[in-house]
Amino acid sequence: MTDAATFRVERLRQGAFDDAPQSDITHLIDRSYRYHSSQELRWHIAERLGTSPAAIHLTATGRRDPRFSRQP
């Protein structure tokens, strides 16, 4: 077991070009899994999509958990 920082993925969307609609592909991963890096997440997604990790580009979006916000 490690004490390294981990994260979970709330929603995963496959991006599109030219303003085409995005596809929700959250069902491809286990949302309860705690990833240790974006590289690990890319590898996992690539495996599910049958492509190379280099073909996967991730962009973090979403809201911050208020429990971890810095107070003024």
Side-chain angles (χ1 to χ4, degrees), residues 15-50:
F17 296 101
D18 300 327
D19 296 326
Q22 295 182 341
S23 301
D24 186 327
I25 57 172
T26 309
H27 64 280
L28 294 177
I29 62 168
D30 176 359
R31 290 182 46 219
S32 67
Y33 183 79
R34 300 188 70 80
Y35 291 94
H36 289 90
S37 68
S38 59
Q39 181 179 6
E40 180 184 17
L41 176 57
R42 279 196 324 271
W43 182 86
H44 188 107
I45 295 168
E47 181 181 54
R48 296 293 178 128
L49 295 176

Side-chain angles (χ1 to χ4, degrees), residues 20 25 51 62 65:
I25 57 172
T51 190
D65 188 323

